[in-house]
Amino acid sequence: MRYLPHSAADRQHMLAAIGASSIDDLFAAVPKSVLGTFSPDLPDHQPEFAVEAHMRGLAKANHAAGDGPFFVGAGAYRHHVPATVDHLIQRSEWLTAYTPYQPEISQGTLQMLFEFQTQVANLTGMDVANASMYDGSTATAEAVLMARRITKKNKVFLSGGLHPQYRDTVVTYLSGEEGLECLSPSPEGQGDIVDHIDDDTAAIVIQTPDFYGHLRNVSALAEAAHEKGALLIVVVTEIVSLGLLEAPGALGADIVVAEGQSLGNPLTFGGPYVGLLACREKFVRQMPGRLCGETIDADGKRGFVLTLSTREQHIRREKATSNICTNSGLCALAFTIHLSLLGERGLTRLAKLNHSRAIALADMLEAEGVEVLNKTFFNEMTVRLPVPAVPVVEALAAKGILAGLPVSRLEPGKPGVENLLILAATELTTDADISALVDALKGEIA
Amino acid sequence: MSMNTQGRPTTPGGTGGAANSGPAALLPTEPLLFEIGDRDHSGVDLPDVEVPDDRLGGLRRKSELDLPGLTEPEAMRHYVRLSRRNYSIDSGMYPLGSCTMKHNPRLNEKIARLPGFADIHPLQPVSTVQGALGVMEQLSHWLMELTNTAAVALSPKAGAHGELCGMMAIKAAHEAKGQGHRKIVLVPESAHGTNPATAAFLGYAVKSIDANAHGTVDVEAVKAALTDDVAAIMLTNPNTCGLFESQIIEIAAAVHDAGAYFYCDGANFNAIMGVVRPGDLGIDAMHINLHKTFSTPHGGGGPGAGPVVLSEALAPFAPVPFLRRDGQGIELVEHVEHVEAEAFGRLTAFHGQMGMYVRALTYMLSHGADGLAQAARDAVLNANYLKARLEDLFSAPFNGQPVMHEALFDDEFLKGTGVSTLDFAKAMIDEGFHPMTMYFPLVVHGAMLIEPTESESLQTLDAFVATMRELAEDARSGNAERFTSAPVRAPLRRLDETRAARQPRLKWTAPDDALQAAQ
């Protein structure tokens, strides 16, 4: 039991100091009928090498994205993370620190969060950002709740281009509440969301690039929303896109939520990720989650603290803006280190590189007669195959090519989506990968 | 003040002040990224490809990014220097009651970084991720065995998210039984703030239950509050006073008799894992903080992971996704429509905190069932040892009984000294210890909640005791100045939190003089 420091003699010494004859005596408050009366179907402790062998066996049963051509996106993206990022986040003082409740000895984490907030605000074109949320989907749900608190109106419209699992998360968070309307998912457009906005509308939620890869005209929607006193919530699942595309804040968004996984964080089968939430200054007291602020110490030196905690559950209990009592600190750290390394120049280049790889993918698909539905895209697009997408993807996986997401996996039973496949390219997508995909695809759909 | 090419000051600006702010060799100060970075610097080599506008729908960025970059050596130094201004469990003890900071084994990190776990996409074909589903299945098995429950929902992303999950299952169960009129949730006064916040989040009215003179919840008080419109009780066990709720079986029975459900806040499961199974106590739902109980690192505030175990009664209402085993392998059920049961929905995109599942399972296998039980027993031993060694000097509100994983003191011993709980905590920093949890639970005046965990050695505990005793004696001898001026040996002195809240500065902006210089 290598993680436990006591020897038998230590335990005896301590029991003597306590005045107890055994550790069992310390469990005196536990009813006898339930104390140690079971033998779980679980193994006993094992040496490190045995644990490692067991876990390696499980890891080997997975097909890693880097094992072959890879085109899956839909809210999680495979990007290269500089080695420096992972080295730095594994330093003890970052990895094993707790929430910075004692600011005098947590300035590393606090200054990092202040830098993170500034980067997120600048990137999204908003006034303020918080110190991160669980992920993009829960951040979207919290943004909807926030908009209802701000406007004191109930009706919320979710665009059909919102990631289906984000939509389902919002629906669950608001379960039982009235006023939530999900517009029909449509790979072709944003539908008539503008026509739905009325004086009772708290917010409309759109995603850009949307689930199907289309870029959205945020300005027109912002104008229409603001005319009726509604807020525009913009969701960004591929944060790298903001290196090339206009910031939602500059286009009129009131709240921007995003998934930050693309910077600094590996795919990890869906989590942990890092949710970003930014808004206009006047809404700051309605924000969920943690905030870090600048202040001074007793000597007048600049320092940072967690602030505006009167919004939070540990002070306000049932009147808090949210029940959230954590953030994604380590993932936010990875995000901020990666973005600091990129800087303005690097992020712009990375975004352009992603878009250029997607153009290459679209061009090669179209040259082979595959129908690409998108007029616009950043690094992801939807294609319509002449046959159902699921068996095609399975057949390609058997050949070592992970070909993308069949829309029907997330929209089961939805008419008209059976043949749709969403494909993503990133800076890691090579011409050889694209050729392998296109060749294999041709074989399946011929 | 010197400026870089964007007119950004290259030394700490604003209120920083130059006096004594130089970089002492091992106590570095560090400017902000925005003060040292440069728009033309980048630590990543990427080709500059030109892309046409025709697929961008007229949306190419025109606004400034305003994101300075650092070269790789600059970034390395910036983040290493910042890290040295952090306390961490690897540098010293964190006696934070109700937060639980224990050793974070690095084997967990090594395993979580294997490409077979780190480099897999949540939406790649299920046939290509059978190992990942195997991790989820094994973790579920461990959690159900340790708790004697019927099902587990893995997806909640933190403890409070787990509370939401458990309470949503309870709400769904009531609605399925035509009991939607139940609108009250009972929450003891000593509960974590997340409990009432979660209940309110779901539209419940929160009714507080007082603690009795022994620091626990009284079964009679619960019975008196159990009316026909009570949906659930949210109870923490072991509770935030460090005590096992000895009447918990009677409380559970009373709750069930009244047609309500029993939600248990499992934040303190580390005190009983492998020793007591919550299912045997009658709980219906309980979240388990993997980052506390099973050692996944907290990373300065997160990420957490909060799987929820569920009783037979609530199992059908677990959210998607969940696992189903068929002859071929493990299937991932992702849609409410695909469930014969009555899943209440989806709490997050994808499947939850896989990186944390891997770490927690690695830790469980390393410890084994025997090691987890011993860890719980040592955590309890350590807490009682601290209590025994301190209680002649420190006042304890609920004296005379063994505690579980944490020991609670109040500020009675500081009466008349001019030293507050906060001052005392700040003096601990000067002595090399992270302070304990302060002012929580709310049921005790000036609370000091100390949790050593099982990973602290006898030597560390003795050093902590010696420091605490010395500080208490010094406070009582009239040396208030040492406390009110503390800390003096940390990177910064006491920070002005009121100023931060009254004049919020939540992001960096160029100081005016730098702006003028740039114009």
Side-chain angles (χ1 to χ4, degrees):
Chain A
M1 295 181 199
R2 57 192 177 277
Y3 304 147
L4 301 177
H6 295 329
S7 66
D10 290 338
R11 292 192 182 102
Q12 281 313 315
H13 169 80
M14 293 166 76
L15 284 167
I18 294 165
S21 58
S22 76
I23 296 180
D24 286 343
D25 290 357
L26 304 175
F27 286 84
V30 179
K32 287 278 174 291
S33 60
V34 296
L35 184 64
T37 52
F38 55 91
S39 40
D41 171 28
L42 299 171
D44 279 347
H45 68 281
Q46 298 174 52
E48 184 163 325
F49 60 76
V51 176
E52 196 169 326
H54 177 82
M55 295 304 292
R56 279 185 189 278
L58 286 165
K60 261 190 223 145
N62 299 319
H63 179 120
D67 289 348
F70 181 83
F71 298 89
V72 194
Y77 299 91
R78 181 163 183 265
H79 291 288
H80 180 255
V81 179
T84 307
V85 175
D86 195 46
H87 172 84
L88 284 167
I89 71 166
Q90 287 202 70
R91 275 184 68 90
S92 288
E93 304 88 333
W94 292 120
L95 186 76
T96 77
Y98 194 66
T99 304
Y101 291 141
Q102 298 291 335
E104 297 86 358
I105 47 173
S106 309
Q107 285 298 303
T109 292
L110 287 161
Q111 182 170 329
M112 174 276 285
L113 290 175
F114 188 78
E115 295 179 353
F116 169 84
Q117 288 173 186
T118 306
Q119 285 176 321
V120 173
N122 291 358
L123 192 54
T124 54
M126 303 305 289
D127 300 325
V128 288
N130 74 7
S132 78
M133 311 285 287
Y134 303 142
D135 70 352
S137 65
T138 54
T140 303
E142 291 279 358
V144 166
L145 297 170
M146 185 180 159
R148 286 164 46 126
R149 286 196 299 274
I150 291 166
T151 61
K152 301 190 169 64
K153 303 191 228 177
N154 276 333
K155 234 186 260 180
V156 176
F157 294 103
L158 307 182
S159 151
L162 182 63
H163 191 293
Q165 293 191 332
Y166 281 49
R167 176 195 68 213
D168 293 350
T169 302
V170 176
V171 169
T172 303
Y173 264 63
L174 271 79
S175 60
E177 305 242 356
E178 289 178 8
L180 186 68
E181 198 171 322
C182 309
L183 301 180
S184 174
S186 150
E188 264 92 19
Q190 60 203 27
D192 46 2
I193 196 164
V194 171
D195 305 337
H196 289 73
I197 308 172
D198 61 23
D199 290 332
D200 297 327
T201 306
I204 57 174
V205 183
I206 65 149
Q207 179 178 324
T208 185
D210 74 7
F211 176 60
Y212 301 96
H214 309 291
L215 309 189
R216 291 301 173 206
N217 184 353
V218 176
S219 300
L221 290 168
E223 214 167 285
H226 294 158
E227 224 164 76
K228 299 282 188 186
L231 302 186
L232 175 67
I233 298 171
V234 172
V235 180
V236 181
T237 59
E238 172 52 294
I239 197 71
V240 172
S241 68
L242 293 182
L244 181 61
L245 300 172
E246 190 53 275
L251 299 172
D254 298 289
I255 304 173
V256 179
V257 291
E259 174 51 67
Q261 172 268 327
S262 283
L263 293 178
N265 289 283
L267 288 168
T268 320
F269 204 44
Y273 286 178
V274 51
L276 315 181
L277 192 151
C279 68
R280 303 204 176 281
E281 179 100 53
K282 59 184 172 186
F283 303 143
V284 68
R285 284 170 203 275
Q286 290 299 332
M287 262 184 155
R290 292 211 169 108
L291 284 167
C292 171
E294 183 184 323
T295 188
I296 53 172
D297 80 349
D299 290 335
K301 287 188 195 165
R302 178 173 67 187
F304 303 93
V305 294
L306 293 179
T307 193
L308 299 182
S309 56
T310 48
R311 303 164 299 116
E312 292 186 73
Q313 40 72 31
H314 62 278
I315 307 261
R316 294 274 282 166
R317 295 177 82 82
E318 68 264 33
K319 295 188 180 68
T321 54
S322 162
N323 78 333
I324 283 185
C325 95
T326 190
N327 62 335
S328 294
L330 201 67
C331 301
L333 174 67
F335 177 98
T336 195
I337 296 173
H338 193 179
L339 190 51
S340 303
L341 281 165
L342 286 165
E344 187 140 353
R345 191 179 77 180
L347 182 67
T348 305
R349 287 184 175 189
L350 180 63
K352 287 197 286 187
L353 198 50
N354 271 260
H355 186 53
S356 77
R357 298 317 302 154
I359 291 172
L361 174 62
D363 287 350
M364 283 177 77
L365 287 166
E366 283 178 330
E368 296 297 336
V370 179
E371 184 189 2
V372 176
L373 300 185
N374 300 58
K375 286 194 182 67
T376 58
F377 58 79
F378 170 64
N379 68 353
E380 190 160 24
M381 66 205 69
T382 304
V383 300
R384 182 183 283 126
L385 303 178
V387 294
V390 169
V392 172
V393 167
E394 287 293 342
L396 265 61
K399 293 177 181 166
I401 299 168
L402 296 181
L405 174 74
V407 173
S408 61
R409 175 160 172 191
L410 298 194
E411 298 281 17
K414 188 85 203 161
V417 302
E418 205 186 350
N419 295 7
L420 299 184
L421 181 64
I422 301 176
L423 296 157
T426 70
E427 75 281 2
L428 297 175
T429 310
T430 64
D431 285 339
D433 292 339
I434 298 173
S435 296
L437 170 79
V438 173
D439 285 350
L441 210 47
K442 274 194 321 197
E444 292 301 320
I445 63 182
Chain B
M1 193 181 287
S2 58
M3 304 282 168
N4 68 12
T5 56
Q6 267 92 57
R8 300 175 192 278
T10 56
T11 50
T15 52
N20 296 327
S21 65
L26 287 175
L27 200 61
T29 58
E30 182 63 12
L32 285 163
L33 156 68
F34 301 90
E35 294 162 347
I36 55 174
D38 191 299
R39 202 175 298 159
D40 292 328
H41 283 199
S42 188
V44 185
D45 283 325
L46 292 168
D48 190 14
V49 298
E50 273 317 309
V51 288
D53 271 339
D54 53 339
R55 310 267 204 164
L56 295 175
L59 290 166
R60 189 187 275 258
R61 182 181 271 269
K62 295 179 194 75
S63 63
E64 294 260 307
L65 269 160
D66 206 13
L67 293 171
L70 301 173
T71 58
E72 192 171 305
E74 288 172 329
M76 188 63 86
R77 201 163 278 171
H78 180 63
Y79 291 102
V80 167
R81 282 182 168 167
L82 283 182
S83 77
R84 285 158 70 192
R85 293 162 73 79
N86 262 6
Y87 194 92
S88 67
I89 191 71
D90 285 354
S91 46
M93 180 178 171
Y94 257 101
L96 278 169
S98 105
C99 293
T100 310
M101 280 291 278
K102 60 171 75 172
H103 173 57
N104 296 150
R106 287 313 191 280
L107 174 65
N108 304 352
E109 298 303 309
K110 181 179 178 183
I111 300 297
R113 283 169 173 77
L114 295 174
F117 295 134
D119 192 27
I120 51 174
H121 192 286
L123 298 175
Q124 67 188 62
V126 169
S127 58
T128 66
V129 290
Q130 288 292 303
L133 300 184
V135 168
M136 292 167 73
E137 186 182 51
Q138 289 179 19
L139 176 68
S140 299
H141 177 72
W142 276 81
L143 293 175
M144 288 189 290
E145 280 293 306
L146 291 170
T147 55
N148 191 23
T149 48
V152 55
L154 289 181
S155 68
K157 297 209 152 214
H161 207 214
E163 289 177 28
L164 201 57
C165 174
M167 291 304 292
M168 280 182 172
I170 286 172
K171 195 175 178 186
H174 278 309
E175 276 162 13
K177 288 194 299 185
Q179 294 279 301
H181 65 278
R182 293 178 177 265
K183 294 289 185 202
I184 295 173
V185 171
L186 308 180
V187 183
E189 214 185 343
S190 60
H192 295 113
T194 49
N195 293 170
T198 299
F201 193 105
L202 293 173
Y204 287 115
V206 175
K207 186 166 182 192
S208 188
I209 304 281
D210 292 342
N212 62 25
H214 309 292
T216 53
V217 174
D218 196 275
V219 64
E220 296 308 322
V222 173
K223 278 182 183 164
L226 278 171
T227 52
D228 283 349
D229 44 7
V230 170
I233 187 168
M234 296 181 82
L235 198 71
T236 306
N237 187 46
N239 70 23
T240 56
C241 300
L243 303 170
F244 193 91
E245 293 284 351
S246 54
Q247 291 181 296
I248 193 159
I249 293 175
E250 292 93 313
I251 290 172
V255 166
H256 291 150
D257 285 349
Y261 291 103
F262 180 4
Y263 186 87
C264 185
D265 182 320
N268 301 328
F269 185 56
N270 60 312
I272 56 171
M273 57 182 178
V275 181
V276 179
R277 297 184 302 187
D280 296 344
L281 305 172
I283 66 117
D284 292 297
M286 183 179 92
H287 72 269
I288 296 172
N289 304 69
L290 297 185
H291 52 286
K292 292 181 175 183
T293 305
F294 299 108
S295 85
T296 69
H298 207 48
V308 176
V309 291
L310 299 165
S311 64
E312 294 275 359
L314 292 184
F317 304 97
V320 291
F322 54 81
L323 305 174
R324 193 155 49 193
R325 191 172 260 286
D326 62 19
Q328 305 301 306
I330 311 170
E331 194 192 339
L332 185 69
V333 180
E334 295 178 284
H335 297 284
V336 175
E337 306 84 60
H338 294 179
V339 184
E340 300 86 24
E342 300 166 77
F344 67 71
R346 167 178 284 280
L347 277 167
T348 177
F350 313 128
H351 330 306
Q353 309 285 59
M354 177 66 182
M356 297 300 157
Y357 307 159
V358 172
R359 289 172 176 87
L361 181 61
T362 303
Y363 178 81
M364 289 169 166
L365 291 166
S366 298
H367 253 314
D370 56 337
L372 291 177
Q374 188 62 54
R377 292 160 63 84
D378 282 354
V380 171
L381 178 67
N382 282 2
N384 280 285
Y385 181 69
L386 287 185
K387 177 172 171 283
R389 295 285 313 273
L390 294 173
E391 65 192 345
D392 59 321
L393 264 177
F394 287 74
S395 41
F398 309 114
N399 221 336
Q401 49 188 328
V403 293
M404 299 300 287
H405 57 297
E406 57 195 359
L408 178 63
F409 298 99
D410 60 27
D411 64 355
E412 191 64 28
F413 76 103
L414 290 172
K415 215 172 193 176
T417 61
V419 176
S420 69
T421 301
L422 181 72
D423 298 331
F424 191 90
K426 298 301 183 190
M428 288 171 68
I429 292 174
D430 281 335
E431 303 310 314
F433 285 102
H434 192 282
M436 67 273 141
T437 294
M438 291 177 294
Y439 302 110
F440 181 81
L442 308 175
V443 290
V444 168
H445 194 269
M448 297 184 175
L449 188 59
I450 301 175
E451 177 168 4
T453 81
E454 75 279 5
S455 58
E456 297 304 337
S457 69
L458 181 56
Q459 288 85 345
T460 304
L461 297 178
D462 283 341
F464 178 76
V465 165
T467 297
M468 293 292 276
R469 294 189 67 88
E470 194 267 327
L471 285 172
E473 278 158 6
D474 204 26
R476 288 166 66 153
S477 74
N479 186 11
E481 164 67 16
R482 171 188 188 177
F483 297 86
T484 53
S485 63
V488 296
R489 293 195 268 176
L492 290 180
R493 301 282 306 282
R494 222 176 284 191
L495 286 142
D496 188 345
E497 303 199 22
T498 309
R499 176 190 171 116
R502 290 223 176 115
Q503 311 159 32
R505 284 173 61 87
L506 305 173
K507 73 170 180 182
W508 186 86
T509 47
D512 291 344
D513 51 351
L515 271 181
Q516 280 161 11
Q519 280 161 4

